Amino acid sequence: MSKNVRLRAFTLTVLATTTLATGAPALAQDDADTNNDDTSVNNLNEIIVSARRRDETLQDTPVAITAVNAAMLEAKGTVNIGDLQGAAPGLLITQQNSGAQAANISIRGLTYADIEKSQTPTVGVVVDGVTIGTNTGQLQDAFDIAQIEVLRGPQGTLFGANTIGGVINITRAKPTMEPGVKAEFTYGRWNTWAAKGILNYGDGDTWGIKAWYFHNESDGFYYNATRDTRDGGSKGDNYGASVLFEPAGSGFDAQFTIENVVQSFEPVVSNLANSSEVFCAFEPAEECNRNTTTDLYTTFGQAAISKYDAPNATLTMNYDTGNVTLTSITGWRHSKEKQTQDFDGSSVDLYYVDRRQKYTQWSQELRAGGNLFEGLDYVVGGYYFTSKYDLTQWSRVFGFAPDVPPTEFDENEQIVNGKTESYAVFGDFNWAFAEDWRLSFGGRWSHDNKKLTNRFATDGLIGSGDANFSKFTPKLGVDYRPNPDTMLYASWSRGYRSGGFSPRAATAETASTPFQPETVDAYEVGAKLTFLDGNLDLNLAGFVSDYKDMQQNLTLPGGPTGNQTITGNVPGGALIKGIEMDSTARLFPGFTLTASAAYMKSRFRNFVTDGVFGTEIVPFDYSDNRLIYAPKFTASLNANYDVPTSFGSVVTNVGWRHISPYDEQISAASLTPITDGSGDVTMVIVNGNDPRVRTTTQDLVDASMSFNFDLGATEAYFRVFGRNLLNEKTTTHAFTVAGLWSFGMALEPRTYGATVGVKF
């Protein structure tokens, strides 16, 4: 899609939404149930969000934010938060099966696609106030969620150090304090089925308890030609309970939640190796030089299995003294993983691993909020986080011995132990310094200690590191409200992501040398506009992100296999610019149209790092490569129509999401050596990323129709749904490995199914 076409599409999306809404008459209030416990809708069109750790309406919050409530999620037949990809401007959420519940999340072109526990995400996923510290575990189930808020841009002041791209803030439904049951069963393509149930009980006033059990499984959408069977199957269980205690008239409430996630799945990769790579010399011809669309769904690898067990607990307490509200959020998460994987994706035994790891995190947040005086409110607090993990990896490289477990084949397994300890203090203030004007300011001081030990079982210690990183990250913004339906705002904020050590380092020097923190200075201007008595919301934002010392994975020589992957910093960083729109129009009773669009330009600045050319280490210039997970244009359009009937209602939902092509790895399409007068190579120019790591254009069409039956005290529903109805086929993750081989993972093809449920 050309630049002019992208800009024209962006403009037409805005104009279409505005024209449709302004052409409709002023509307009366909908007949929506404003007492539904599964939504955060307060009155008709006021969506309450907690993006700034305060309860504010969406249109009063001077932050680029998209809110999705429970009704919207259920209408889409959403499985997990990955189904939100493209629904918010500039948002990508793709799954990576190298780790359980692992997500690659990108907002405004800021991402870090790595499942190692020592690496931290650039986009934070926060569940009931607790940040998930790694990419693993971020791909949350969408059932029983009250609301999801997608906050775009650095959110470090209130949400912590590693949120330079933004935050996905998930709020799950609270116990209702009333006796009740909700249960549903879903069956779909690929022999996929899910059974979910929620039980509520309480006294209706002071206490309530909620217990749940979810189960899902699938045969997978890949076909393994070597073993003549479906591939990529999965099975999962999520169960737990939550207790809510609210003594009447006390101003105090407490909620304690404990749950466990148990999963097993077949980690599958598609073979993307070509004739220029070493592995193809050992593989059957039909398994190499395959395409990155339809061929992805045929696999050749050996059987593999991943098992994941992840209990967690959260305790949230609030006390409203009348002048100050005190909040405490305590979080604990633990995971245990055992995963085998055939990374070469071929029928030949070339690279097969067995990875076993444990991870534990604790976090504690204490904060206070209130008004210092009329016109000045605040949120201040402190935060503590600690995590530790251990990883042992056995590798069978060029083993040609598929029947020998890696644990027996590899007597020199790699062992990595890591620990993080962080603490921070923060403050966020709003000052109405003049009529219709408000100043927002604040900051966070963060300190991180990172430790990592890397060794081989036989060869002994590779190296270890212990480093401290500290940073103060301020923010400043101003907004202007000339009337109740208009807000204009401008802001500057600095995001910070801690440094650390490379978990895949294979030499003493690289294992003990830390990579440094990265920062983003984000400048944003925006407008939040409401028309037609609240029936049209139109939000616009423009931003510039100045990305400094960007952390990137790089392949360098060294170690037992000849190459190693380390994390380093891009000195020049990158510059990202964009404009965004999202809109909601309630055209007539029961009908809602939502739209979003984002156009983004990004480029590296002075991305020069060492690499191997021939037998020499020389500078490689990647400055002309694309940033990863940074599509130039994304757009979405979603229509939801709720029609009352004699038996209840029929809800139809149709959505379209457009995502232009984007790259998934910093790699090399080709190299141009630069020589001096004597013929020595002084620099190598990298001519863009390898085309195999680039997606196709995606136009994802989803639809569902729900029949809701009012049976007195019981509600029942039947829903049919389809996702990716145009059957788009492309990669969700692709990787090339130092001239040895390449692999990828596939987008779920067209799927469909039906759900039946009951609630009373």
Side-chain angles (χ1 to χ4, degrees):
M1 182 182 286
S2 70
K3 176 180 178 180
N4 288 338
V5 173
R6 284 191 294 268
L7 289 172
R8 192 177 302 121
F10 181 95
T11 304
L12 287 174
T13 306
V14 176
L15 291 176
T17 305
T18 307
T19 302
L20 284 170
T22 54
L27 308 180
Q29 288 202 345
D30 208 317
D31 292 328
D33 178 9
T34 58
N35 294 318
N36 188 342
D37 293 315
D38 290 337
T39 72
S40 292
V41 177
N42 181 34
N43 300 325
L44 169 62
N45 299 330
E46 287 191 348
I47 298 179
I48 305 300
V49 297
S50 57
R52 299 195 303 161
R53 302 297 200 188
R54 307 161 172 87
D55 289 338
E56 302 173 294
T57 67
L58 181 65
Q59 295 303 99
D60 283 338
T61 306
V63 174
I65 177 174
T66 300
V68 182
N69 64 35
M72 297 166 67
L73 291 171
E74 291 181 355
K76 290 173 174 286
T78 301
V79 175
N80 56 48
I81 66 169
D83 291 321
L84 295 176
Q85 168 157 293
L91 171 67
L92 297 182
I93 305 177
T94 59
Q95 185 171 6
Q96 182 178 162
N97 67 17
S98 297
Q101 282 192 320
N104 296 332
I105 305 178
S106 173
I107 297 179
R108 291 181 172 176
L110 299 183
T111 189
Y112 192 75
D114 200 315
I115 51 87
E116 298 295 351
K117 300 294 188 293
S118 62
Q119 312 291 67
T120 52
T122 55
V123 175
V125 173
V126 179
V127 181
D128 289 340
V130 177
T131 299
I132 298 174
T134 70
N135 288 38
T136 302
Q138 286 191 326
L139 202 69
Q140 292 283 302
D141 193 298
F143 191 66
D144 197 37
I145 286 178
Q147 184 161 283
I148 297 178
E149 302 166 13
V150 181
L151 287 62
R152 306 190 293 279
Q155 305 295 327
T157 300
L158 290 172
F159 287 94
N162 301 312
T163 57
I164 64 172
V167 165
I168 297 178
N169 189 25
I170 300 173
T171 304
R172 293 184 289 192
K174 292 180 177 292
T176 63
M177 295 189 174
E178 301 282 353
V181 173
K182 182 177 181 180
E184 69 174 39
F185 179 83
T186 299
Y187 187 81
R189 196 179 183 190
W190 324 116
N191 194 31
T192 300
W193 65 274
K196 303 180 179 183
I198 301 172
L199 174 66
N200 270 284
Y201 191 75
D203 66 355
D205 182 41
T206 302
W207 66 273
I209 184 170
K210 178 182 73 172
W212 69 88
Y213 182 85
F214 310 157
H215 175 85
N216 61 79
E217 62 180 79
S218 174
D219 289 347
F221 55 75
Y222 296 91
Y223 169 72
N224 188 287
T226 304
R227 293 182 279 121
D228 189 27
T229 184
R230 296 232 65 82
D231 209 355
S234 63
K235 182 184 296 184
D237 295 280
N238 181 314
Y239 51 89
S242 184
V243 179
L244 177 63
F245 181 52
E246 294 182 342
S250 68
F252 175 79
D253 66 81
Q255 183 176 356
F256 177 68
T257 302
I258 187 167
E259 68 174 320
N260 194 25
V261 177
V262 179
Q263 286 187 342
S264 63
F265 65 94
E266 299 167 341
V268 175
V269 299
S270 303
N271 190 356
L272 300 182
N274 64 27
S275 298
S276 69
E277 295 172 311
V278 173
F279 279 22
C280 263
F282 300 90
E283 298 172 355
E286 66 271 14
E287 297 181 18
C288 283
N289 301 301
R290 300 175 64 80
N291 68 47
T292 58
T293 54
T294 55
D295 284 351
L296 292 170
Y297 300 86
T298 300
T299 61
F300 305 96
Q302 302 167 43
I305 189 68
S306 176
K307 295 185 178 181
Y308 176 69
D309 192 336
N312 65 86
T314 304
L315 173 63
T316 301
M317 296 183 290
N318 298 286
Y319 180 46
D320 186 353
T321 68
N323 297 317
V324 178
T325 299
L326 304 174
T327 299
S328 168
I329 302 175
T330 307
W332 171 79
R333 300 183 67 89
H334 176 76
S335 64
K336 182 178 180 181
E337 298 172 71
K338 178 183 177 182
Q339 179 162 325
T340 58
Q341 191 156 10
D342 185 357
F343 271 110
D344 60 82
S346 75
S347 59
V348 183
D349 184 36
L350 299 175
Y351 186 46
Y352 193 98
V353 302
D354 186 323
R355 291 166 55 88
R356 304 183 186 186
Q357 53 191 318
K358 295 178 181 178
Y359 171 84
T360 303
Q361 72 169 63
W362 280 94
S363 63
Q364 175 63 58
E365 181 171 350
L366 297 171
R367 66 175 186 261
N371 294 293
L372 287 177
F373 52 81
E374 185 176 356
L376 179 61
D377 65 81
Y378 67 91
V379 174
V380 296
Y383 180 75
Y384 177 78
F385 175 92
T386 183
S387 69
K388 61 180 180 180
Y389 86 102
D390 59 78
L391 164 68
T392 302
Q393 177 171 314
W394 293 265
S395 301
R396 198 171 62 219
V397 182
F398 287 104
F400 305 104
D403 295 329
V404 179
T407 53
E408 297 178 12
F409 183 92
D410 185 2
E411 297 180 354
N412 193 28
E413 65 270 21
Q414 188 169 11
I415 302 168
V416 182
N417 302 100
K419 184 176 181 180
T420 296
E421 187 173 34
S422 305
Y423 47 86
V425 291
F426 58 88
D428 188 77
F429 304 86
N430 289 321
W431 178 31
F433 64 93
E435 185 176 2
D436 303 327
W437 289 86
R438 183 171 55 173
L439 182 69
S440 300
F441 58 96
R444 188 182 190 103
W445 181 82
S446 303
H447 177 82
D448 300 282
N449 175 257
K450 295 289 186 76
K451 296 178 181 178
L452 193 74
T453 301
N454 200 334
R455 61 188 174 91
F456 287 107
T458 301
D459 294 346
L461 181 68
I462 301 171
S464 62
D466 185 339
N468 293 288
F469 310 95
S470 298
K471 193 72 174 178
F472 176 68
T473 51
K475 60 165 286 188
L476 182 66
V478 62
D479 61 81
Y480 173 55
R481 296 294 301 264
N483 59 65
D485 295 327
T486 303
M487 182 175 69
L488 309 176
Y489 69 91
S491 67
W492 164 73
S493 60
R494 176 168 293 162
Y496 156 76
R497 184 162 165 255
S498 173
F501 294 90
S502 302
R504 302 184 185 92
T507 65
E509 181 182 4
T510 55
S512 59
T513 302
F515 55 88
Q516 296 303 307
E518 61 182 14
T519 61
V520 172
D521 282 298
Y523 306 86
E524 181 174 325
V525 294
K528 295 196 172 185
L529 311 171
T530 301
F531 306 100
L532 300 176
D533 295 328
N535 291 300
L536 171 64
D537 295 328
L538 177 62
N539 299 333
L540 305 169
F543 67 90
V544 176
S545 297
D546 186 0
Y547 203 168
K548 299 183 180 72
D549 296 318
M550 176 187 291
Q551 297 167 9
Q552 288 287 339
N553 281 341
L554 309 168
T555 299
L556 296 177
T561 62
N563 287 291
Q564 58 179 326
T565 299
I566 68 164
T567 305
N569 296 90
V570 180
L575 188 68
I576 306 171
K577 305 175 182 178
I579 52 175
E580 301 170 335
M581 177 280 297
D582 64 307
S583 178
T584 301
R586 304 158 191 91
L587 302 185
F588 47 84
F591 186 84
T592 301
L593 185 70
T594 59
S596 71
Y599 176 73
M600 183 171 62
K601 292 185 67 175
S602 59
R603 63 178 178 86
F604 286 115
R605 295 177 302 200
N606 190 31
F607 186 175
V608 179
T609 187
D610 287 340
V612 179
F613 188 78
T615 59
E616 300 295 325
I617 297 178
V618 297
F620 274 56
D621 189 344
Y622 289 87
S623 299
D624 289 335
N625 286 43
R626 300 184 186 186
L627 274 70
I628 63 173
Y629 294 94
K632 285 189 175 180
F633 182 68
T634 61
S636 70
L637 193 63
N638 192 88
N640 192 83
Y641 191 24
D642 189 339
V643 181
T645 65
S646 58
F647 57 80
S649 67
V650 176
V651 180
T652 303
N653 187 280
V654 180
W656 163 74
R657 295 171 286 157
H658 173 87
I659 305 169
S660 66
Y662 59 89
D663 291 357
E664 300 159 308
Q665 182 204 13
I666 300 298
S667 53
S670 63
L671 304 176
T672 301
I674 306 298
T675 59
D676 58 16
S678 62
D680 293 332
V681 175
T682 58
M683 174 79 74
V684 173
I685 305 298
V686 181
N687 302 307
N689 294 320
D690 192 307
R692 290 172 295 173
V693 304
R694 184 169 303 133
T695 70
T696 62
T697 299
Q698 299 175 59
D699 286 292
L700 306 174
V701 176
D702 310 313
S704 69
M705 181 172 286
S706 301
F707 301 86
N708 301 309
F709 301 90
D710 186 355
L711 307 175
T714 301
E715 301 174 23
Y717 54 91
F718 174 73
R719 179 184 304 117
V720 292
F721 62 86
R723 293 192 299 273
N724 190 11
L725 294 175
L726 298 182
N727 205 27
E728 297 279 7
K729 294 184 176 181
T730 188
T731 55
T732 60
H733 178 64
F735 207 79
T736 64
V737 187
L740 298 175
W741 84 99
S742 300
F743 62 91
M745 298 155 198
L747 176 72
E748 180 187 52
R750 179 190 297 121
T751 190
Y752 41 78
T755 298
V756 60
V758 63
K759 180 180 179 181
F760 56 86

